[in-house]
Structures are given as C-alpha cells and as structure tokens.
Amino acid sequence: MDSPIRVLHVDDDPDFRELTAELLERENDRFTVTTAPGPEAGRERLESAEFDCVVSDFDMPGESGIAFLETVRADYPDLPFILFTGKGSEEVASDAISAGVTDYLQKAIGSEQYELLANRIATAVDQYRTARELERQNDLFEKAESIGNVGAWEYDIVTDTSYVSDEVLRIHGLDTDEHLTPEETIEYFHPDDRDEIRTAFRGAIDDGRAYDLELRMRDADGTQHWVRTRGEPQSEDGDIVRVRGILQDITEQKRREKKLERQNARLEEFAHVVSHDIRNPLQVASGKLEIARQTDDPEAFTQAEEALARIETIIENILTLARHGRTVDETEPVQLQEVAQEAWETVETEGLTLSFDTEVELAADSDRLRQLLENLFANTVEHGDGAHTIRIGEIQPLYTATRTSGDTTTGFYVADDGGGIPEDIRDEVFDSGFTTAAESTGFGLAIVAQIAEAHGWDVTVTDSYDGGARFEFTEQPAGGAD
C-alpha cells in the first residue's frame, strides 16, 4: 500500500483554497490536505506538523508566493514546493526556479488541471522520498564503512575507469576528494606483497577468479597497516566487465591475533616448564629427602634444599613472564643511563664495569626497562666468559608504538667484551628454557624479549666490537611484521 501524502495548501482565497483541498483529496486517496490563508499561517503549520509537499499561490497580500518559498527553503531545503498560481509569466517562472521551486503550474478552469496538479504532487513527493531514502542508505553505508574500517571499490574493464569509496581513501591516508586507479593502489602495498595482489587482480580480470587476501600496506604517511582486500569479477553476456571488491583495515585484528599467539606460546612454555623443568628438580628433591631420612646425611638435605630453591627460581621466572607479556599501556621519557645504573646496583657484577658511549633518552616503562637491563647484566655475569666491560649506547632514532607526541626516543644496544654467543644458537637464546649452562633456568633472555616486545621493540643479538655479545633494540615495524 502506498504511504499517505500530507499536503499544505496556502492561498488567500478561502473558496479556492477549500475547493483545491477537496478536489486533490478526490483525485488521490493518499492525500490529506491542510490549508493556510497566507504565508505566515503556512509557516506556523510547518512548525507544528510534518508535511510532504507545499502548494502555494503566487499573488497574495503582503507577501508573494516566491518570498514564501524563500523562507521555506531556509528551513526545509529539499521539501517539495509547487507554485500553483493564477498569474503566469516568464518572469514569475524564472524567479520561482531561481528560488528553488520544485514545480510551477498555472491555475485553470476544469478538473483536468487538478488532476495534473495531483500527479505532479505525487511525483514530487515520491522523488523526494526516494532521494531521502537514498541519502539515509548512503549515510548508513558510510557509517558502516567507518565503523568496520571497510571501504568499497569498483573497476570498470570496458571504460577503464575506477571508483573507490571515502573509506578506501581514508585507509590509504588520502583526502576524500582524491582519486585512485588500480595501479596506484597496488603501489601502496608492501613491496613484497605487490606481486601477489597484482597477480590476483589480473586473475580476476582475465580468468574470472575471485580473491581474498590479507596483505601489508603503507599509507600516504608511511604508516604500515594490515588490510584485507577482496575482489569479485562481474560478468555480462559471458564477458567479465568489471571487478568489485572491498578493502578493510585489519591492523587491530592482526595485533589481537599476534597477542593471542604470544599468549598461546606462553601457555605452551608454562606447560613445558611444569611438565619438564619443574619435574626434574622435584624428583631430585624427593630422592635426596628419601636418602636423608634413611642415612641422616647432611649433604642430602643440602642437595634437597638446592633443588627446592631451583624450583622457586623457576616459578618466579614464570610469574615474571606472565606479568611482562602484557602490552605496555603507558610510557614516559626516561634516561637510559639512570635506569641502567639502578639495574646495575641490583645485580652482583663484581669484576665488571658499566660504561656509556652516549646518553640515550627513550619512551619506556622505567620499571620494566630496569628489569630488562637486570636480566642482560645477569646474563653477562653468568655466560660472559671473562667479560670485563658492559657498554650501552645509541643506535638510531626509534619510535615506539606507545610513544607520545614530543618524546625523544632512540634505539640502543647493550654489549659486552666476553666470549659472545655462537651464531648457530642466536635464534634460540630468547626461547624460554633455552640455556647452555646446567645451573641456569634459561628464562633471563626470554624475559628480555618479552619486555622488549611489550614496548614495541625488536631485539636481536650479534657480535660486539670487542668480540662479545651485543643486544640491539630497534623499532618494531607497524602491524607487528614487515
């Protein structure tokens, strides 16, 4: 059933006003006509009720229909307004069009003119409602794009033209009045991913193969994002004529996935510790206590105590990993030299010297940074093989994911002059439980890696200038991978 149409008819002639209302309602049972004796009364009606169309006379005392139209347009810029007047001229028609009239119709004797007026009212209102509905749909589409970080695009193969929605441009870091061709879009993808997206796009055009990919992209500011890009070929009469698709920013999703992967990895690490690393000293403690009960050998008690102490150390390390596996939420500018001195005082470093090549300021959680350094210093003490000096210095500018505007942040290294770390195990030294020393728990460098990752830093190990181990902390690529 067609929806009702509410019409406001404004005319200073009471007889004609009532006649018009009656005839319009007869012509179309969708109409409900409300009348007003002039523009002022018409504005009052518009303020107090909702209408779908205004029909107004032109020649009225005090204020013309065009002047009335101008005041209506100020508050209702799209409301259908039909000038229905007994005075007709090119000048009146021109003025009405300039003022934004929807339609213009002269009064005439006979029912045919009212039938024509009714048709024009119905047409104007239907067009008005269609436009409003389209506007609402577009607004909902834009909001959905913004909320879901997903934009739409289309490439017309026949005309070699393309369209991208505003959200696609925003994902690229571009203004919404700019334009993107498919080839320009491909250039925003990571160099290592361009061949994949180019091949997929050509496959959609040439062979009709749809694609759905998760790739890396850098926007106009150089910030890396993870995006999901989909393409769907469209055919007409057996020929592929266009490709339509979506582009969605999934950076946060990727970060959550990576966080979940880290959590799962820690759970696996904990399971390994509980099932293996703790089981061994528990068995030792149990066996030594049994010997001590049978022989009263003090050495057996001592060995049992040592096994229990090792279990306590392992548990403390597990708790540290659990606490520091979280993302760092807040940082502040800190002086690396000051934090390092604090860490140095908490580690038994007899025979070692701490020196600084440069002063370094960076955005960090000072407590977690101190623990990172404590573990590095302890690692040198335990595995340094004759190290005498630990040096700390700057590498290059480093901007973390958690830095705030105005922070001065730099990459840094911690190096020693000991025996170094063999190249064939450098990929394993940050794994929980990995150690080359029988008495070590193998958690020290795992804690270092966890704290670095929580800050948005990558940590790598290489040779120092003195032949020892050098740990470098640098910017982690946006999105968690590069």
Side-chain angles (χ1 to χ4, degrees), residues 162-284:
S162 57
Y163 162 81
V164 296
S165 68
D166 289 349
E167 187 62 22
V168 169
L169 292 168
R170 281 191 285 267
I171 291 172
H172 284 78
L174 300 172
D175 294 332
T176 54
D177 59 353
E178 298 190 52
H179 181 70
L180 270 178
T181 65
E183 191 57 39
E184 288 170 340
T185 297
I186 288 173
E187 291 303 310
Y188 280 88
F189 284 90
H190 189 283
D192 293 343
D193 293 343
R194 286 174 194 162
D195 285 345
E196 185 174 2
I197 181 59
R198 188 177 282 112
T199 299
F201 186 65
R202 290 307 316 175
I205 294 174
D206 297 338
D207 305 318
R209 294 196 305 266
Y211 62 86
D212 189 344
L213 303 172
E214 293 182 0
L215 304 173
R216 295 161 294 180
M217 172 183 284
R218 288 196 180 275
D219 65 20
D221 295 329
T223 302
Q224 181 170 289
H225 303 274
W226 275 96
V227 296
R228 181 187 184 190
T229 176
R230 297 180 60 187
E232 185 73 34
Q234 306 286 315
S235 299
E236 292 181 5
D237 299 325
D239 296 324
I240 300 168
V241 295
R242 71 183 66 85
V243 182
R244 289 174 175 168
I246 62 100
L247 184 75
Q248 182 179 18
D249 189 330
I250 59 170
T251 305
E252 287 304 317
Q253 174 186 324
K254 282 291 185 180
R255 286 175 178 159
R256 288 193 296 269
E257 289 175 357
K258 186 172 182 180
K259 181 179 179 181
L260 182 60
E261 288 173 3
R262 291 196 302 266
Q263 291 172 341
N264 290 337
R266 286 197 297 274
L267 286 174
E268 292 179 6
E269 292 167 4
F270 299 161
H272 172 77
V273 170
V274 171
S275 65
H276 181 268
D277 291 29
I278 290 181
R279 180 183 298 164
N280 290 342
L282 273 176
Q283 290 174 343
V284 171

Side-chain angles (χ1 to χ4, degrees), residues 15 23 41 72 117 150 182 189 198 212 220 258 262 275 279 288 291 316 332 349 416 425:
D15 294 333
L23 292 177
V72 170
L117 176 61
V150 57
F189 284 90
R198 188 177 282 112
D212 189 344
K258 186 172 182 180
R262 291 196 302 266
S275 65
R279 180 183 298 164
K288 293 301 179 181
I291 293 172
E316 288 177 356
E332 59 182 356
T349 55
D416 65 51
I425 65 170

